[in-house]
Amino acid sequence: LALVQVDLRRMLAFLVVSQSGMLLAGAATGTQAGLDATWLQGLAASITFCGLELMTRALEARTGTTDMRRLGGLTSRAPRMATLFLLLCLAGLGLPGTLSFTSEDLLLRGTLGIHPWRTLPLLPALALNAITLLRAFHRTFLGPAPEARGGAPIPLQDLLPRERWTL
C-alpha cells in the first residue's frame, strides 16, 4: 500500500507498518540471533523513519502540503534538504554500510535458518520498501516542478542550521 500513496506522510506510515512486520518475523524465530537482529532493525528503522518524518514535517511547514503530486523540482531550491532526504532513504532501504543493511542481513539469515518459508514474503517486502523510498525521493525532489505543470512555484527555504544539526 505504501507504493501507491501520493501523500508523503501516509507513505511513511505504511512503510513503518511494513518494518513492524519484519520485526515480528525476526522476533518469531525465538532464537538469540533473531532477537538481536530484531533489536538492531528496530533501532535502525526508528532512527531512519524519525528522520524521514522530521523531513516530511519540515517540507509540510515550508510548502503547506505533503502531496507528492504538488511537490517536485525541490532539489534546486533546497539542495541540503534533498541530500539529507536521499541519505535517509538510502539508510532506510538498507544500503551496504548502513545499520539497516546489517540488521536486515541478520534478520534474513536468522529467519532463513529457522523458518525458510517465512523468509519468502520478507524479500519482496524489502524490495517494495526500497522502490517506495526511492520513488518518494524522485517524486518529491526530482520530479517536474509545479510551474512546469502549469501551477504556481512553491517558495521553499532550505534547512536551517538547527534543523541540519538535529537531522
Side-chain angles (χ1 to χ4, degrees):
L1 287 172
L3 189 61
V4 298
Q5 298 301 317
V6 294
D7 186 80
L8 205 50
R9 284 186 302 165
R10 287 180 55 90
M11 182 215 55
L12 286 175
F14 279 110
L15 283 173
V16 168
V17 170
S18 175
Q19 289 291 324
S20 299
M22 288 179 28
L23 295 176
L24 183 61
T29 62
T31 64
Q32 187 61 42
L35 295 175
D36 291 343
T38 301
W39 280 104
L40 192 59
Q41 178 66 17
L43 176 68
S46 62
I47 291 170
T48 300
F49 287 107
C50 282
L52 285 170
E53 181 63 26
L54 286 172
M55 291 290 296
T56 302
R57 295 296 177 159
L59 269 172
E60 183 179 24
R62 286 166 170 77
T63 62
T65 185
T66 56
D67 187 353
M68 290 185 283
R69 296 172 296 190
R70 295 188 54 210
L71 299 170
L74 301 179
T75 304
S76 60
R77 291 180 275 165
R80 289 184 180 129
M81 189 178 284
T83 303
L84 193 53
F85 195 89
L86 178 63
L87 289 175
L88 287 168
C89 285
L90 292 175
L93 63 87
L95 184 74
T98 63
L99 187 59
S100 295
F101 177 77
T102 305
S103 63
E104 287 173 3
D105 182 52
L106 287 173
L107 190 73
L108 289 173
R109 287 176 189 264
T111 308
L112 186 61
I114 304 297
H115 306 288
W117 291 105
R118 289 185 188 168
T119 308
L120 290 177
L122 293 179
L123 297 174
L126 286 171
L128 287 173
N129 288 350
I131 291 168
T132 301
L133 284 169
L134 292 177
R135 180 176 171 264
F137 174 74
H138 181 267
R139 291 186 76 184
T140 304
F141 290 98
L142 300 177
E147 59 266 15
R149 296 185 301 252
I154 298 174
L156 186 66
Q157 179 184 13
D158 205 358
L159 290 175
L160 301 173
R162 68 176 180 264
E163 292 171 324
R164 287 192 303 257
W165 183 84
T166 303
L167 289 166

